[in-house]
Amino acid sequence: MNIIIKDLDHISEAAREFVSHIGERRVFAFYGHMGAGKTTFIKAICEALGVEDVITSPTFAIVNEYTPSSFLLPPSSKIYHFDFYRIKRLEEVYDMGYEDYFYSGALCFIEWPELIEELLPEDAVRITISEQPDGSRLVNLE
């Protein structure tokens, strides 16, 4: 499935479309070069799910936790947003207890999954965001 983000004025619309296709899937791996819009799109997805916290990139923290206030998710649901850009060794991911997150049943949005590819659950949804010549973004869900 493909979703087009024409520009930032239309990102909320694209995020709502993405949310409508989440279903029972829980782990989403976002691929794309630096500046493709991974963090911006994940922020819009979290907002579409009712997160009212300030949503920032977890580049230095590695993981941020959000609690949505949405009827779309069960009460006390969690969303985990990962950014593995700064990971140097897989041991760092083991040490943070990645399995407790990935297999918790919570929504997990992962940036730079290629750095931990072998640790991703088999059923992780792979999403590629690519910039198009006109400046729009193509979001491809596999």
Side-chain angles (χ1 to χ4, degrees), residues 4-105:
I4 299 288
I5 305 171
K6 294 179 187 177
D7 52 39
L8 285 177
D9 291 336
H10 294 91
I11 197 164
S12 295
E13 176 183 311
R16 285 190 300 274
E17 182 178 351
F18 179 90
V19 166
S20 75
H21 289 93
I22 286 178
E24 296 300 314
R25 298 172 292 185
R26 290 292 171 254
V27 179
F28 298 86
F30 288 80
Y31 297 82
H33 65 77
M34 183 76 71
K38 297 180 296 293
T39 300
T40 304
F41 191 52
I42 291 171
K43 178 180 177 185
I45 293 167
C46 289
E47 289 171 349
L49 288 167
V51 172
E52 295 174 357
D53 302 322
V54 175
I55 303 164
T56 60
S57 174
T59 302
F60 293 100
I62 300 177
V63 62
N64 287 344
E65 178 182 317
Y66 304 113
T67 303
S69 61
S70 169
F71 66 90
L72 298 171
L73 297 173
S76 74
S77 293
K78 298 288 182 202
I79 296 173
Y80 297 110
H81 178 191
F82 300 85
D83 185 333
F84 289 117
Y85 181 75
R86 294 172 31 93
I87 292 295
K88 302 288 186 245
R89 301 177 342 271
L90 278 180
E91 288 77 23
E92 295 174 66
V93 184
Y94 286 110
D95 290 346
M96 70 175 283
Y98 80 93
E99 290 173 314
D100 293 338
Y101 296 102
F102 290 2
Y103 299 100
S104 68

